[in-house]
Amino acid sequence: MIVDRQGRRFRNLRVSLTSACNYACTYCVPNGKRLVAAQDELSAEAMARGVAYLIEAAGIERLRITGGEPLVSPKLETFMTAVGQMGLEDISLTTNGQLLAKKLPLLVNAGIRRINVSLDTLDPGAFRGIARGGDLATVLDGMEQARAAGMKIKVNMVPLRGQNLDQVMPLLDYCLERGYELRFIELMRMGHLASDSNTFLQQFVSLQQLLSLIGERYEYLQANAPVDATAVRYQIPGLGHFGVIANESVPFCRTCSRLRLSSTGWLHGCLSSSNRHYVGDLLDKPRHQALPSLQRLLVKALGDKQEVAFSGGATVMKIIGG
Ligand code: SAM
């Protein structure tokens, strides 16, 4: 097992299945252009082999499938079928929900029981303005169908001053009523926001600001969360839970256990580092040839983690999937 001086190791793997996306969210894709799959994307088989090798070489226990938008990828079924047989503790998926209803039978058959749906507003006009693709009613219907199929749903919202701050309470109520756990994600200095402090600061909403807003209506208590959780969790007694992924306000680098594999075969040990390590070529090799090289790259990737706090990164979320 590869462990660093702070006792951190890779336990959670996020695989970006494709960089293609059917949205072009303002904070993720500043030029508004629809993202397409990179030409050099790995096959579903190679990516699944990557997961198998990383389970062995790094001790990965939990997998999250992300993107781009994972549900637009033709690799989804083959990849999920393969990783479903690897004995992982947990497999989950992050999606914008646009194709959720269509792909639900596939997800259920593959054993996916937990999904995160990104949803920044319940207002159809604001939705079009932020996501720049898709349709709000289709997402809400997809979530309803997933809930009826027994899936546990978390909703990810990035609060943005001037764009959707008025949606914090409506979304919280919507989620509490339906048993979805709302996760607010503090805006991260990723991609264009890493070099454009003005835009970042104009839009950023902090944990404290969110709690003040919620505290005007509800009493809440801090709730338990796993030691390497990214979210600070709160309970609203009798109603449910919500969480805040507070990169800026409560950095979680000291306990970060995440490793990311991009759709083009790069390993990222840290979102805040521009270092990345190419493993695409190793995934075509048999296990005994691939693992020693992979171990060396994993040591480097673990060394890329920040000591204390996330300081921003040129890496774009659209490629690496959050
Ligand atoms: N397409 C999928 C989705 O919409 O969930 C997966 C990929 S998306 C990049 C993953 C998550 O990253 C989304 O919840 C999105 O809101 C979030 N995200 C993207 N850029 C971000 C930023 N700069 N700060 C905070 N969250 C961001």
Short mmCIF file of all heavy atoms in Angstrom, two decimals, residues 110-134:
data_model
loop_
_atom_site.label_atom_id
_atom_site.label_comp_id
_atom_site.label_asym_id
_atom_site.label_seq_id
_atom_site.Cartn_x
_atom_site.Cartn_y
_atom_site.Cartn_z
N ALA A 110 -26.84 -2.74 -13.48
CA ALA A 110 -25.40 -2.79 -13.17
C ALA A 110 -25.15 -2.68 -11.66
O ALA A 110 -24.01 -2.69 -11.22
CB ALA A 110 -24.69 -1.66 -13.89
N GLY A 111 -26.22 -2.56 -10.89
CA GLY A 111 -26.05 -2.56 -9.44
C GLY A 111 -25.78 -1.18 -8.84
O GLY A 111 -25.39 -1.07 -7.67
N ILE A 112 -25.99 -0.12 -9.63
CA ILE A 112 -25.78 1.23 -9.08
C ILE A 112 -26.96 1.56 -8.17
O ILE A 112 -28.11 1.51 -8.62
CB ILE A 112 -25.68 2.29 -10.21
CG1 ILE A 112 -24.60 1.92 -11.22
CG2 ILE A 112 -25.50 3.69 -9.63
CD1 ILE A 112 -23.22 2.31 -10.87
N ARG A 113 -26.67 1.90 -6.93
CA ARG A 113 -27.73 2.20 -5.97
C ARG A 113 -27.65 3.63 -5.44
O ARG A 113 -28.51 4.05 -4.68
CB ARG A 113 -27.66 1.24 -4.77
CG ARG A 113 -27.87 -0.22 -5.15
CD ARG A 113 -29.34 -0.51 -5.50
NE ARG A 113 -29.50 -1.86 -6.00
CZ ARG A 113 -29.46 -2.22 -7.27
NH1 ARG A 113 -29.27 -1.30 -8.20
NH2 ARG A 113 -29.61 -3.47 -7.64
N ARG A 114 -26.57 4.32 -5.81
CA ARG A 114 -26.38 5.71 -5.31
C ARG A 114 -25.96 6.58 -6.48
O ARG A 114 -25.03 6.24 -7.21
CB ARG A 114 -25.24 5.74 -4.28
CG ARG A 114 -25.53 5.03 -3.00
CD ARG A 114 -24.52 5.36 -1.92
NE ARG A 114 -23.15 5.45 -2.37
CZ ARG A 114 -22.42 6.55 -2.35
NH1 ARG A 114 -22.93 7.69 -1.93
NH2 ARG A 114 -21.16 6.55 -2.74
N ILE A 115 -26.65 7.68 -6.65
CA ILE A 115 -26.23 8.61 -7.69
C ILE A 115 -26.21 10.04 -7.14
O ILE A 115 -26.96 10.36 -6.22
CB ILE A 115 -27.14 8.58 -8.94
CG1 ILE A 115 -28.62 8.74 -8.54
CG2 ILE A 115 -26.93 7.33 -9.75
CD1 ILE A 115 -29.52 8.96 -9.74
N ASN A 116 -25.35 10.86 -7.69
CA ASN A 116 -25.35 12.29 -7.41
C ASN A 116 -25.83 12.98 -8.68
O ASN A 116 -25.30 12.73 -9.76
CB ASN A 116 -23.95 12.80 -7.10
CG ASN A 116 -23.49 12.37 -5.71
OD1 ASN A 116 -24.00 11.40 -5.16
ND2 ASN A 116 -22.54 13.09 -5.16
N VAL A 117 -26.83 13.82 -8.52
CA VAL A 117 -27.35 14.56 -9.67
C VAL A 117 -27.01 16.03 -9.49
O VAL A 117 -27.34 16.63 -8.46
CB VAL A 117 -28.88 14.38 -9.80
CG1 VAL A 117 -29.40 15.15 -11.02
CG2 VAL A 117 -29.24 12.90 -9.92
N SER A 118 -26.36 16.61 -10.46
CA SER A 118 -25.99 18.03 -10.38
C SER A 118 -27.18 18.87 -10.83
O SER A 118 -27.69 18.67 -11.94
CB SER A 118 -24.78 18.31 -11.26
OG SER A 118 -23.72 17.48 -10.83
N LEU A 119 -27.59 19.76 -9.97
CA LEU A 119 -28.77 20.58 -10.27
C LEU A 119 -28.61 21.91 -9.54
O LEU A 119 -28.60 21.94 -8.31
CB LEU A 119 -30.04 19.85 -9.79
CG LEU A 119 -31.36 20.58 -9.98
CD1 LEU A 119 -31.64 20.82 -11.45
CD2 LEU A 119 -32.51 19.76 -9.36
N ASP A 120 -28.48 22.99 -10.28
CA ASP A 120 -28.14 24.27 -9.66
C ASP A 120 -29.34 25.16 -9.41
O ASP A 120 -29.21 26.21 -8.78
CB ASP A 120 -27.12 25.01 -10.54
CG ASP A 120 -25.77 24.30 -10.56
OD1 ASP A 120 -25.39 23.75 -9.52
OD2 ASP A 120 -25.12 24.27 -11.62
N THR A 121 -30.50 24.81 -9.93
CA THR A 121 -31.68 25.67 -9.76
C THR A 121 -32.95 24.91 -10.12
O THR A 121 -32.91 23.94 -10.89
CB THR A 121 -31.55 26.92 -10.68
OG1 THR A 121 -32.74 27.69 -10.59
CG2 THR A 121 -31.30 26.55 -12.13
N LEU A 122 -34.06 25.36 -9.57
CA LEU A 122 -35.38 24.81 -9.94
C LEU A 122 -36.12 25.77 -10.85
O LEU A 122 -37.29 25.56 -11.17
CB LEU A 122 -36.21 24.57 -8.68
CG LEU A 122 -35.77 23.39 -7.81
CD1 LEU A 122 -36.55 23.37 -6.50
CD2 LEU A 122 -35.96 22.07 -8.55
N ASP A 123 -35.46 26.85 -11.22
CA ASP A 123 -36.09 27.85 -12.09
C ASP A 123 -35.69 27.55 -13.54
O ASP A 123 -34.50 27.58 -13.88
CB ASP A 123 -35.59 29.24 -11.67
CG ASP A 123 -36.13 30.31 -12.59
OD1 ASP A 123 -37.22 30.80 -12.32
OD2 ASP A 123 -35.46 30.61 -13.61
N PRO A 124 -36.66 27.26 -14.42
CA PRO A 124 -36.32 26.84 -15.79
C PRO A 124 -35.47 27.86 -16.55
O PRO A 124 -34.55 27.48 -17.28
CB PRO A 124 -37.68 26.66 -16.47
CG PRO A 124 -38.67 26.50 -15.36
CD PRO A 124 -38.12 27.24 -14.17
N GLY A 125 -35.73 29.15 -16.33
CA GLY A 125 -34.96 30.18 -17.03
C GLY A 125 -33.51 30.19 -16.54
O GLY A 125 -32.56 30.20 -17.34
N ALA A 126 -33.34 30.18 -15.21
CA ALA A 126 -31.99 30.17 -14.64
C ALA A 126 -31.27 28.89 -15.03
O ALA A 126 -30.05 28.89 -15.29
CB ALA A 126 -32.06 30.32 -13.12
N PHE A 127 -32.01 27.80 -15.10
CA PHE A 127 -31.42 26.50 -15.50
C PHE A 127 -30.80 26.63 -16.90
O PHE A 127 -29.65 26.25 -17.12
CB PHE A 127 -32.51 25.42 -15.50
CG PHE A 127 -32.02 24.06 -15.92
CD1 PHE A 127 -31.56 23.16 -14.99
CD2 PHE A 127 -32.01 23.69 -17.26
CE1 PHE A 127 -31.10 21.91 -15.38
CE2 PHE A 127 -31.56 22.45 -17.66
CZ PHE A 127 -31.10 21.55 -16.72
N ARG A 128 -31.57 27.20 -17.82
CA ARG A 128 -31.05 27.35 -19.19
C ARG A 128 -29.82 28.26 -19.19
O ARG A 128 -28.85 28.01 -19.89
CB ARG A 128 -32.13 27.93 -20.10
CG ARG A 128 -33.15 26.91 -20.56
CD ARG A 128 -34.02 27.45 -21.69
NE ARG A 128 -34.86 28.55 -21.24
CZ ARG A 128 -36.05 28.39 -20.65
NH1 ARG A 128 -36.52 27.18 -20.45
NH2 ARG A 128 -36.75 29.43 -20.25
N GLY A 129 -29.87 29.31 -18.33
CA GLY A 129 -28.76 30.26 -18.27
C GLY A 129 -27.49 29.65 -17.73
O GLY A 129 -26.39 29.99 -18.17
N ILE A 130 -27.59 28.75 -16.76
CA ILE A 130 -26.38 28.16 -16.15
C ILE A 130 -25.92 26.93 -16.92
O ILE A 130 -24.76 26.82 -17.30
CB ILE A 130 -26.64 27.78 -14.66
CG1 ILE A 130 -26.98 29.03 -13.84
CG2 ILE A 130 -25.42 27.07 -14.08
CD1 ILE A 130 -27.42 28.75 -12.41
N ALA A 131 -26.85 26.00 -17.18
CA ALA A 131 -26.45 24.72 -17.80
C ALA A 131 -26.19 24.86 -19.30
O ALA A 131 -25.38 24.14 -19.87
CB ALA A 131 -27.52 23.66 -17.56
N ARG A 132 -26.91 25.79 -19.93
CA ARG A 132 -26.78 26.01 -21.38
C ARG A 132 -26.94 24.71 -22.18
O ARG A 132 -26.20 24.44 -23.14
CB ARG A 132 -25.45 26.71 -21.69
CG ARG A 132 -25.41 28.09 -21.02
CD ARG A 132 -24.23 28.89 -21.42
NE ARG A 132 -22.98 28.43 -20.86
CZ ARG A 132 -21.86 29.15 -20.86
NH1 ARG A 132 -21.86 30.35 -21.41
NH2 ARG A 132 -20.76 28.68 -20.33
N GLY A 133 -27.88 23.91 -21.72
CA GLY A 133 -28.19 22.65 -22.41
C GLY A 133 -29.23 21.93 -21.57
O GLY A 133 -29.41 22.26 -20.40
N GLY A 134 -29.93 20.98 -22.18
CA GLY A 134 -30.85 20.15 -21.42
C GLY A 134 -32.13 20.86 -21.04
O GLY A 134 -32.41 21.97 -21.47
#
